Amino acid sequence: MAINNPKTIPPTLVATDDPLSLCTGALALIKDVPVLPLGLSYNGTFFQYERKVAGFDRSVSGKYSLFFGLCGPSWATTANVKGTYGNGSGGGTEINLQLSDTLTEAGLVFGAAAGLDFSVSMTTWVHDFNFDVNVTADAVQLLFTLAQVLLGDKALVSRVSEKLPSVESSWGAFDSTSDNWAANDGQLSVNPAFSIPFNLWSLMLIADETSAIFGGLVVASNAVLDATLSSITIGPTFGLGVDLSVKMEQVLLNNVPYPITGFDGASSLTAQGPGAPPASISSIGFGFSQTPYFDFQLGLTAQLQLLQLLNFSASYTIDIAAGLPQLSFGTFSQTLEVPAGQLTLAYDVEFA
Amino acid sequence: MKFPGGLLVNNLGQVVVHAQTASDQLHLLMLQTARGELVSRQTLISDGDTLPDGQTIKKLGLASLNHSGDIAVAARLDNGQPAVYVDVHPGATARQAATTNSPLPGSDDSVLTNMFGDFELLHDGSLLLVAGFAQAGTPRALRGGQALIHLTSPGVSDQGRVLVRSGDSIPGSADTLGLIGMIDCDGRDPTFVHQGLAARPPLTNGQPTGDGRTLLLGGSFNSTSPKLLARGNAVEVTPVLARLVPEGSSTIGPRLNRYGQVACVIEKSGTDTLYLEGRALLTAGQLSPLGQPILGFSAPVVGPRDLVFGQLYTESGSELFVTNGQQSRTYLSTGIELQGKTIRTLAFGLVRDMVDDDGTLVCLVEFTNGSQSVLMGVPH
């Protein structure tokens, strides 16, 4: 349909942030859950056990400290927009937009530092079984390989440049697409999901063997375990489930919503609404509806097994949701609107 | 040559023992015996061996021996990953049953992680294995954790099923299963027992809000009896601890004999008690068969005819004993002489299969001159 007396919508970067980030300017994945860097710090005792029986003494203590840096869950999008608007042939206002250089991400950014303090003293058989380990590790780096195997080509976990406090590196667990909204009928879906309990000890052992990053302490302690056919399993369980479907439903001009009436299957869209077109536009953006699902699992496990004789174990889960407002799922709407004609970082997010 | 503690015997007179050389290299040896006499000795597999699949053994772990003579062994591979091998034969021939990234049976979106735990080779050649599993691809049903897996044709196919796993409800309790500890299986009748850790309530403010309890759990599995299935591929789990013994701490491995009888050592208020099927056989504080006050017990081994074999500790040393609750007898003790050498230390019950179905037992002793021996006791 032709637009009468068309006016230009200047080239504008409609973006949550530039460069795109899940930590700054991003849209909430779940209604009322803030997109804020969050530091979750835990420390305590896995187990503390002491039993003195002549010839069969055993004393075991395992302590942990974990810091999880978390940013999100959120989603972010960027698009270069330009087009025209004016009187529609059927009345009201009609808009024609071209979108290019689009990118959308959803997920979260995280980092984890794990500190372990194990003290084991046992007398069994002919071995004096003693070691004391106190190390810290960049837990997520060690998790990464396994996550890649799990997720195959999707590669939903990768090191990101976001800086989170108290962790050595930050990682993004997210899905992203560069598909143009217009090429997908205004619909984009992302769904990173995995749950991984992993043995930090064996990964730390490899790291210590290859680069002595723990000064050989883990290697030496593991030699004691090997000599007694014993094993330690320790590490976080990390789970992430994000299922997000976003539908671009409106074009916003000067905060006035115009329902999208069609996509051309490539890079353009049209929108239409009642009323006369504005004389000029000061802002432009989009309205989205989304149906989120989010699950973030953190757990801590530790097991020490001596032959088939003794087993000490402890397991915790961390209730991330307890530190957040009540999660509200179901479909909800958000808008993203920026000053027209500016390639700006300014953004405005409102819950509808 | 030293013996780190792995020592197994089966009904065929086969003894599998871990041996460590001066260079700390571990070897798995097969000793063939007949009527208590050593007939032959073979090395099955050693640290550093390269297996037919191209993997190299970095360090051997525990082994399992069934009454058909089949052997499985755990190992850490050169690539750092844990693995379990079956069909272990002299010359380091073996087939890999599971390793990190092996598929979780019954699931097309889950794999095993590097969190391997206990395992047991059953007498039909199938394998029970505790391993962590990771799940991908189903956002609304994520459930990674630890699972007790029954691989029906280990080394041949990935067929099998998950018997229990983290998050399973514990009958008679509001708790769910957190971790799985040591396991045992009678191998003939489909019954298994394992330590389970009730999941603790979630951490809030960085501290646990409740107490995780170690439970002794038992269950049955039989592929021809689907009525036993509680849901999906899980089987009904019964907390046998509550049924068989008073509550207490169970850090020592539970043991099961081929008739499904469960023996365990439960510690309560600092006192060990040895139980068989809920019946207290011996308690710390009682006198040992040699007249010494008992301080505690190692893990028991259930033999035939309601006999429980074990090692007890006293102020003066330790005794390898057998009891049925009414009568107890000590076979060996520290301080006695064998073939002109004095026993300084003895070890029994470090692993499960140290008694066969006839009551033949194996144990380790160290003499005061520092030498170590594998001993076999034959009933007569």
Side-chain angles (χ1 to χ4, degrees):
Chain A
M1 287 185 287
I3 297 176
N4 298 320
N5 302 318
K7 297 178 180 177
T8 299
I9 297 175
T12 304
L13 175 66
V14 180
T16 50
D17 201 355
D18 185 25
L20 205 61
S21 168
L22 290 175
C23 289
T24 55
L27 298 167
L29 191 66
I30 300 167
K31 188 175 183 180
D32 297 335
V33 174
V35 185
L36 294 173
L38 190 63
L40 303 168
S41 182
Y42 300 91
N43 58 75
T45 301
F46 274 127
F47 35 71
Q48 182 94 38
Y49 183 84
E50 186 168 348
R51 186 89 164 84
K52 297 292 184 189
V53 175
F56 191 34
D57 294 350
R58 58 250 199 211
S59 169
V60 178
S61 74
K63 298 179 180 177
Y64 63 86
S65 63
L66 281 172
F67 181 87
F68 287 90
L70 178 65
C71 174
S74 57
W75 70 280
T77 187
T78 181
N80 283 317
V81 172
K82 63 180 180 180
T84 55
Y85 72 100
N87 293 309
S89 57
T93 299
E94 190 164 317
I95 304 164
N96 192 326
L97 282 182
Q98 288 85 51
L99 280 60
S100 61
D101 299 324
T102 60
L103 179 64
T104 302
E105 293 180 350
L108 51 80
V109 174
F110 59 91
L116 311 173
D117 186 353
F118 262 83
S119 178
V120 179
S121 174
M122 292 191 192
T123 306
T124 71
W125 180 213
V126 293
H127 297 281
D128 285 331
F129 187 89
N130 295 294
F131 67 82
D132 201 332
V133 181
N134 191 329
V135 294
T136 58
D138 183 346
V140 180
Q141 174 127 28
L142 299 171
L143 148 74
F144 179 54
T145 303
L146 187 57
Q148 289 285 52
V149 171
L150 259 183
L151 300 170
D153 294 336
K154 295 184 78 173
L156 297 178
V157 180
S158 61
R159 189 190 289 267
V160 296
S161 58
E162 307 283 359
K163 286 294 179 190
L164 294 175
S166 302
V167 295
E168 291 187 20
S169 61
S170 299
W171 299 77
F174 55 88
D175 200 359
S176 66
T177 177
S178 57
D179 287 352
N180 195 301
W181 294 91
N184 289 277
D185 203 28
Q187 182 102 27
L188 291 176
S189 294
V190 290
N191 59 346
F194 58 84
S195 176
I196 303 175
F198 63 103
N199 186 1
L200 197 59
W201 181 265
S202 68
L203 300 175
M204 289 161 59
L205 178 62
I206 296 170
D208 207 23
E209 284 174 339
T210 55
S211 56
I213 64 171
F214 302 111
L217 190 59
V218 173
V219 171
S221 300
N222 200 73
V224 178
L225 294 167
D226 284 342
T228 51
L229 299 177
S230 305
S231 62
I232 277 185
T233 298
I234 183 165
T237 297
F238 185 90
L240 174 70
V242 176
D243 189 355
L244 173 67
S245 178
V246 182
K247 174 80 173 174
M248 180 185 281
E249 293 192 320
Q250 299 166 328
V251 173
L252 304 175
L253 295 181
N254 299 349
N255 285 314
V256 177
Y258 296 89
I260 293 173
T261 53
F263 298 91
D264 72 346
S267 61
S268 297
L269 63 85
T270 54
Q272 202 168 21
S280 62
I281 60 170
S282 58
S283 65
I284 182 171
F286 298 104
F288 304 94
S289 68
Q290 62 192 79
T291 307
Y293 168 84
F294 170 70
D295 187 11
F296 188 50
Q297 306 166 349
L298 285 179
L300 306 172
T301 63
Q303 281 188 311
L304 171 67
Q305 182 159 330
L306 176 66
L307 289 147
Q308 292 167 342
L309 178 64
L310 289 169
N311 182 285
F312 300 90
S313 57
S315 165
Y316 302 115
T317 57
I318 298 173
D319 191 356
I320 300 296
L324 300 173
Q326 187 170 9
L327 302 185
S328 170
F329 300 118
T331 301
F332 72 106
S333 300
Q334 290 188 97
T335 61
L336 169 65
E337 193 164 10
V338 301
Q342 295 186 40
L343 301 179
T344 176
L345 302 182
Y347 57 89
D348 183 15
V349 177
E350 293 178 354
F351 289 106
Chain B
M1 184 175 286
K2 297 283 188 180
F3 303 108
L7 180 60
L8 311 162
V9 64
N10 68 5
N11 292 341
L12 302 176
Q14 295 172 317
V15 176
V16 168
V17 59
H18 283 77
Q20 191 173 30
T21 54
S23 62
D24 289 340
Q25 187 183 22
L26 274 176
H27 307 268
L28 194 63
L29 308 181
M30 164 69 83
L31 313 179
Q32 182 64 58
T33 68
R35 293 176 295 282
E37 299 294 327
L38 181 63
V39 175
S40 65
R41 188 180 89 176
Q42 291 178 299
T43 299
L44 295 169
I45 194 168
S46 305
D47 289 350
D49 281 348
T50 299
L51 300 170
D53 62 4
Q55 299 284 0
T56 299
I57 302 288
K58 178 134 183 143
K59 186 58 69 176
L60 287 173
L62 290 167
S64 185
L65 169 70
N66 70 14
H67 289 316
S68 304
D70 303 321
I71 299 165
V73 67
R76 191 171 77 251
L77 303 176
D78 246 6
N79 63 11
Q81 303 295 2
V84 175
Y85 281 83
V86 295
D87 283 346
V88 180
H89 296 291
T93 61
R95 286 185 295 165
Q96 191 179 82
T99 188
T100 305
N101 299 328
S102 293
L104 180 73
S107 170
D108 57 7
D109 62 0
S110 300
V111 297
L112 304 186
T113 72
N114 65 349
M115 192 178 277
F116 274 39
D118 205 357
F119 71 100
E120 175 82 352
L121 186 65
L122 308 188
H123 299 311
D124 62 359
S126 62
L127 187 74
L128 276 183
L129 171 68
V130 177
F133 68 95
Q135 189 178 41
T138 314
R140 288 162 202 265
L142 282 178
R143 206 177 170 212
Q146 205 176 34
L148 175 58
I149 302 158
H150 183 214
L151 293 171
T152 51
S153 301
V156 177
S157 77
D158 299 321
Q159 287 187 336
R161 63 191 172 123
V162 173
L163 299 177
V164 292
R165 58 180 164 180
S166 304
D168 278 352
S169 59
I170 298 172
S173 165
D175 295 327
T176 57
L177 186 64
L179 299 175
I180 301 168
M182 285 173 289
I183 59 171
D184 198 1
C185 182
D186 68 3
R188 184 185 60 108
D189 198 42
T191 303
F192 65 89
V193 62
H194 66 92
Q195 279 184 324
L197 181 77
R200 296 183 190 224
L203 288 170
T204 56
N205 301 321
Q207 294 299 323
T209 55
D211 198 19
R213 292 183 300 130
T214 300
L215 303 170
L216 199 57
L217 303 166
S220 298
F221 60 97
N222 187 330
S223 60
T224 61
S225 300
K227 65 183 180 188
L228 292 175
L229 300 183
R231 62 188 176 283
N233 56 4
V235 298
E236 189 171 358
V237 176
T238 306
V240 294
L241 180 64
R243 177 169 58 88
L244 295 178
V245 294
E247 279 198 21
S249 172
S250 171
T251 58
I252 293 177
R255 301 289 165 77
L256 196 66
N257 70 358
R258 65 179 302 169
Y259 307 106
Q261 294 177 299
V262 180
C264 57
V265 174
I266 301 297
E267 178 195 334
K268 191 173 185 182
S269 303
T271 300
D272 285 350
T273 300
L274 173 63
Y275 287 92
L276 175 67
E277 290 291 284
R279 186 162 55 96
L281 303 182
L282 282 174
T283 299
Q286 290 181 307
L287 295 182
S288 75
L290 295 184
Q292 299 293 315
I294 298 172
L295 298 178
F297 303 94
S298 183
V301 178
V302 196
R305 299 181 294 279
D306 288 352
L307 294 177
V308 175
F309 299 76
Q311 182 175 357
L312 60 83
Y313 298 90
T314 67
E315 288 289 356
S316 58
S318 67
E319 302 173 24
L320 195 169
F321 71 96
V322 62
T323 185
N324 62 5
Q326 282 82 45
Q327 291 183 305
S328 303
R329 177 178 298 176
T330 289
Y331 288 138
L332 281 176
S333 68
T334 53
I336 68 167
E337 283 197 2
L338 273 181
Q339 298 175 339
K341 293 184 285 189
T342 303
I343 296 177
R344 178 165 61 195
T345 309
L346 62 88
F348 180 80
L350 299 177
V351 294
R352 290 183 282 269
D353 298 317
M354 296 182 79
V355 178
D356 74 7
D357 288 344
D358 296 324
T360 297
L361 64 86
V362 288
C363 71
L364 296 168
V365 296
E366 184 181 62
F367 298 101
T368 50
N369 66 0
S371 64
Q372 295 181 353
S373 291
V374 175
L375 298 186
M376 173 176 271
V378 182
H380 58 85

